[in-house]
């Protein structure tokens, strides 16, 4: 006797598999940032460490943008689950705009650091700002993956591939986006309090 899965069972199994793979990827990313922050802690004992370094104000604003973008992504998913395409479109585009604003603000923050006389590379750099630069750039690189994923979601949403019964693509992208939000808040608080 042949056991056949229903379409719903097959989609549920597929969703669990993709989510598990995403979790493995996110754990790997956690290891990268754990290594960076561990190296930061070890390097703090160096004589050239900046004890009075203050994070740029653009980083504070970018943190707010990232937190709001997580909320708008959540609202986009909820709107999709309710088959409200117009609201989902609005929130997806708002999430994309906030993600781009976050990256722009990060580079503005780099400019503020340089304006304060601190450099990230070269003979005039120091280890404190170099670590900040590396951690932020690694986060931005991973966030670009989230933006690409969001663009795919927006495209699929435009093609009407999502509805209340099919939200897997948005769920996966939102999980990753929220994770990148968590990583940035962790980095921001780490750099803010651990001087």
């Amino acid at each position: 006797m042949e056991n056949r899965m229903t379409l719903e069972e097959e989609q549920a199994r597929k969703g669990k598999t993709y989510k598990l793979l995403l979790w493995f990827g996110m754990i790997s990313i956690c290891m990268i940032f754990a290594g960076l922050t561990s190296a930061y802690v070890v390097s703090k004992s160096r004589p050239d460490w900046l004890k009075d370094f203050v994070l740029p104000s653009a980083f504070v604003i970018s943190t707010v943008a990232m937190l709001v973008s997580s909320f708008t992504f959540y609202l986009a998913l909820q709107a999709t689950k309710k088959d409200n395409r117009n609201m989902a479109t609005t929130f997806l585009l708002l999430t994309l705009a906030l993600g781009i604003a976050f990256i722009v603000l990060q580079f503005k923050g780099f400019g503020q650091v340089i304006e304060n006389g601190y450099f990230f590379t070269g003979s005039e750099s120091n280890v404190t700002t170099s670590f900040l630069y590396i951690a932020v750039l690694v986060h931005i690189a991973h966030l670009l993956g989230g933006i690409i994923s969001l663009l795919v979601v927006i495209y699929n949403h435009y093609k009407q591939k999502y509805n209340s019964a099919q939200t897997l693509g948005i769920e996966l992208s939102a999980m990753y986006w929220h994770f990148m939000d968590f990583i940035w808040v962790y980095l921001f608080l780490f750099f803010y309090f651990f001087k």
Side-chain angles (χ1 to χ4, degrees), residues 69-70 73 95 99 143 146-147 173-181:
S69 75
S70 248
F73 213 150
T95 303
L143 184 64
I147 287 178
S173 187
M175 276 177 64
Y176 184 75
W177 195 269
H178 298 320
F179 172 71
M180 292 314 302
D181 185 9

Side-chain angles (χ1 to χ4, degrees), residues 85 151-162 169:
R85 290 191 44 76
L151 288 169
V152 169
V153 165
I154 290 169
Y155 174 78
N156 286 337
H157 174 73
Y158 175 73
K159 292 289 192 179
Q160 300 185 7
K161 292 186 177 181
Y162 303 123

Side-chain angles (χ1 to χ4, degrees), residues 77-188:
L77 177 58
Q78 295 309 307
T80 302
K81 287 180 177 179
K82 294 176 183 174
D83 287 322
N84 188 339
R85 290 191 44 76
N86 291 336
M87 289 303 290
T89 301
T90 300
F91 288 125
L92 286 170
L93 293 175
L94 192 52
T95 303
L96 178 62
L98 288 165
I100 292 168
F102 173 83
I103 293 173
V104 169
L105 287 164
Q106 294 289 284
F107 284 103
K108 184 176 181 181
F110 287 157
Q112 289 174 340
V113 171
I114 292 168
E115 286 171 11
N116 290 332
Y118 301 113
F119 296 91
F120 300 106
T121 60
S123 59
E124 296 178 359
S125 68
N126 62 59
V127 69
T128 310
T129 55
S130 293
F131 265 112
L132 176 71
Y133 182 67
I134 290 167
V136 171
L137 283 181
V138 169
H139 181 265
I140 288 172
H142 286 92
L143 184 64
L144 286 173
I147 287 178
I148 292 168
S149 169
L150 179 57
L151 288 169
V152 169
V153 165
I154 290 169
Y155 174 78
N156 286 337
H157 174 73
Y158 175 73
K159 292 289 192 179
Q160 300 185 7
K161 292 186 177 181
Y162 303 123
N163 56 49
S164 58
Q166 174 53 288
T167 60
L168 180 62
I170 296 177
E171 286 179 43
L172 292 170
S173 187
M175 276 177 64
Y176 184 75
W177 195 269
H178 298 320
F179 172 71
M180 292 314 302
D181 185 9
F182 168 78
I183 291 290
W184 174 250
V185 170
Y186 162 73
L187 288 173
F188 178 80

Side-chain angles (χ1 to χ4, degrees), residues 19 21-31 175-176 179:
K19 287 177 183 177
L21 289 171
L22 181 58
W23 273 108
F24 283 136
M26 292 187 306
I27 290 168
S28 299
I29 293 169
C30 275
M31 299 303 287
M175 276 177 64
Y176 184 75
F179 172 71

Side-chain angles (χ1 to χ4, degrees), residues 7-26:
L7 184 60
E8 291 83 19
E9 289 172 333
E10 187 177 334
Q11 285 181 341
R13 180 179 284 183
K14 182 178 170 183
K16 286 180 183 178
T17 302
Y18 286 154
K19 287 177 183 177
L20 184 62
L21 289 171
L22 181 58
W23 273 108
F24 283 136
M26 292 187 306

